[in-house]
Amino acid sequence: MSRLGAIIYGVAIGGIALLFGRMAFDACLYLYEENTGDQFALAVTGWLISTLGPIALSACVWLVVRRLKSRWLLHLTFIPTAILICRQGGYLFFYGAGVSGVNSPEGYALLMASAFMLLTVLVHTAALIVEVYRKVTQRVSHG
């Protein structure tokens, strides 16, 4: 990823945090008032996994991808892995909250997580398309 791309990616992450941060905070505050103890800690852990997991995984992929020859494969495996991390963190969050997530105030806490996951998947899908295009044009020009 170029320096400009990294800056745009960071700005998009910051924009999502600003856009959905208040909603997530209010939902977590409501959860704290309703539940206490271990269940709240479990819900917060699920929220952290769901929200920050795809971003952390994306950062790791971008650090490792520079050293690999088959970059497209890492971007391809990122996509289902990020979706899985977001969903499993959400399941843990709802289990800790003791709700199903359907039409509950706690469900708004995961809007930011969903937006982060969507952003990271879109960025890595674009990177996958660019890498496959490069690979195809290299083979056509050499072959």
Side-chain angles (χ1 to χ4, degrees):
M1 178 182 292
S2 69
R3 194 172 293 220
L4 178 62
I7 290 171
I8 292 170
Y9 193 32
V11 167
I13 289 171
I16 288 171
L18 289 174
L19 185 63
F20 293 108
R22 175 69 186 229
M23 222 179 307
F25 179 74
D26 288 343
C28 287
L29 187 62
Y30 175 79
L31 175 67
Y32 177 72
E33 291 170 354
E34 295 295 316
N35 300 324
T36 56
D38 296 338
Q39 290 297 103
F40 179 72
L42 192 60
V44 168
T45 303
W47 183 84
L48 287 171
I49 291 169
S50 184
T51 304
L52 301 179
I55 294 172
L57 181 63
S58 178
C60 291
V61 166
W62 283 112
L63 290 174
V64 171
V65 80
R66 296 177 188 176
R67 300 181 187 117
L68 295 178
K69 187 173 182 177
S70 297
R71 297 175 179 181
W72 64 271
L73 184 60
L74 200 55
H75 290 298
L76 182 65
T77 57
F78 170 84
I79 296 167
T81 306
I83 294 169
L84 183 69
I85 287 173
C86 186
R87 289 188 59 147
Q88 294 303 318
Y91 291 147
L92 186 62
F93 172 78
F94 288 126
Y95 177 76
V99 295
S100 67
V102 179
N103 296 328
S104 66
E106 292 89 354
Y108 291 112
L110 294 180
L111 284 176
M112 185 167 39
S114 298
F116 282 150
M117 191 264 307
L118 181 63
L119 173 68
T120 58
V121 166
L122 287 174
V123 166
H124 285 275
T125 301
L128 174 65
I129 292 168
V130 167
E131 289 299 325
V132 168
Y133 178 77
R134 282 185 190 162
K135 197 66 114 170
V136 167
T137 55
Q138 283 177 354
R139 287 196 179 178
V140 168
S141 67
H142 287 100

